[in-house]
Amino acid sequence: MVDLTVSAVASEPRTRSRKPNLRLVLSVAWIAVVILAALAAPLLAPHDPLAQDLMLERLPPMGFTGAEPGYFLGTDSLGRDVLSRLIYGSQIAITVALTAAFAACVVGSALGLISGYFGGWADRIISRLIEIWMAFPPVLFAILLVAVLGASLTSVILAIAVIDWTRFARVIRAESMVQSRMDYVQSAQIGGASRLRALFSEVLPNVLPTIVALLALEMGVAVIVEAILSFVNLSISTDDPTWGGMIAEGRAAIHFGWWVLLFPLIALFLTVLSFSQLGEGLKDQFDPLAR
């Protein structure tokens, strides 16, 4: 009886570990939907997102009085299809999320690894640079950079990457300092590996899970920053559909067409939340203590 009890207790954690992380699954599912919408926008969008028809001004979504067939989420103040603009707006959101976050990840992680692993003067210089950079309010800094560079998608991506590399540098620096003191790193160097080889073969693989989790979190930050810049008309052309631009337009006409504001807000909220939960879920999956 005792052996059976012990076996049952011992097998319980393993059973729990096989349960899928619902938070991670739902986050990946929504992000996959947004990416699919961005890639297949010409096929999925029922109308031209730029086509205007004042005869169809502020049509309500399907199911409400006055709705028109084919306009599932209604139209805005210029008669443009809200669903089509949402779908095409996902292209901007995903492009910024992937490119800006990846650029910030590469720069910040490289500087963090150098600072934490080698220490000395490199650590002092990079640490002071991080402190100076973080003294600027990030959103205001982004607005200033875009205003100087000019409103364009490239300027938005560059501004986010220039600002947010410090997120990676701080965390990866701390992780690298911990890993560099581990016995396996010392053993590799004693075995004849150079410091640079030990960095790439021993430290980097153990820091990589943290980098991946931070990258997912940064994608959500990039999406919200682009939406803020679009909201204040500092992203791409005002005619091109962006979620932030749609929110700005819907805010001005909320009493006449609440759906113009509501649907891009929901899309933005779910996308940012999904990237955030994806980062947290990946962190839990990779954390040996959590496992």
Side-chain angles (χ1 to χ4, degrees):
M1 178 67 69
V2 175
D3 292 340
L4 291 176
T5 304
V6 172
S7 299
V9 173
S11 64
E12 185 179 355
R14 265 179 252 158
T15 303
R16 287 178 182 171
S17 64
R18 294 192 197 101
K19 291 182 180 180
N21 188 329
L22 182 61
R23 179 179 62 183
L24 189 59
V25 171
L26 292 176
S27 300
V28 171
W30 175 256
I31 294 171
V33 168
V34 176
I35 293 175
L36 177 63
L39 293 176
L43 300 176
L44 297 176
H47 300 278
D48 183 350
L50 302 180
Q52 303 179 15
D53 189 347
L54 296 180
M55 299 297 293
L56 301 174
E57 177 186 1
R58 296 196 186 100
L59 291 177
M62 294 296 292
F64 291 86
T65 305
E68 288 284 339
Y71 295 92
F72 301 101
L73 300 183
T75 60
D76 60 13
S77 58
L78 296 177
R80 297 172 297 190
D81 182 46
V82 172
L83 176 58
S84 299
R85 291 180 66 79
L86 270 180
I87 292 173
Y88 273 89
S90 66
Q91 292 181 328
I92 304 299
I94 291 300
T95 300
V96 171
L98 295 178
T99 54
F102 184 76
C105 174
V106 171
V107 175
S109 299
L111 291 176
L113 282 168
I114 294 172
S115 176
Y117 181 71
F118 291 102
W121 62 266
D123 182 34
R124 289 191 293 271
I125 293 175
I126 294 174
S127 296
R128 297 297 85 76
L129 183 62
I130 293 173
E131 292 174 1
I132 293 171
W133 224 256
M134 293 188 66
F136 296 96
V139 175
L140 293 180
F141 196 15
I143 292 175
L144 177 62
L145 285 175
V146 174
V148 171
L149 296 174
S152 68
L153 186 60
T154 303
S155 299
V156 171
I157 293 171
L158 182 61
I160 295 173
V162 166
I163 292 168
D164 284 347
W165 65 269
T166 55
R167 300 177 189 270
F168 293 88
R170 290 175 59 209
V171 177
I172 302 308
R173 172 184 175 273
E175 287 285 329
S176 301
M177 291 178 69
V178 172
Q179 295 295 329
S180 64
R181 295 182 176 89
M182 293 294 180
D183 292 339
Y184 59 83
V185 176
Q186 306 298 328
S187 299
Q189 293 178 355
I190 293 173
S194 63
R195 294 200 69 187
L196 191 61
R197 182 178 176 183
L199 172 63
F200 285 103
S201 63
E202 302 295 340
V203 176
L204 181 58
N206 287 282
V207 176
L208 191 59
T210 302
I211 295 176
V212 173
L214 284 174
L215 179 60
L217 292 171
E218 178 58 29
M219 287 180 182
V221 173
V223 170
I224 195 68
V225 171
E226 190 282 325
I228 293 172
L229 294 174
S230 297
F231 185 84
V232 297
N233 197 22
L234 282 176
S235 183
I236 60 175
S237 170
T238 54
D239 291 332
D240 294 323
T242 61
W243 291 348
M246 294 178 68
I247 291 171
E249 180 188 356
R251 175 178 171 271
I254 187 172
H255 299 294
F256 308 101
W258 53 265
W259 53 89
V260 181
L261 173 66
L262 179 63
F263 293 121
L265 266 178
I266 292 174
L268 178 63
F269 173 77
L270 290 178
T271 303
V272 175
L273 180 64
S274 295
F275 277 122
S276 175
Q277 294 302 307
L278 175 62
E280 293 294 332
L282 290 174
K283 181 181 177 182
D284 293 342
Q285 291 289 92
F286 290 134
D287 188 357
L289 295 177
R291 291 200 302 268

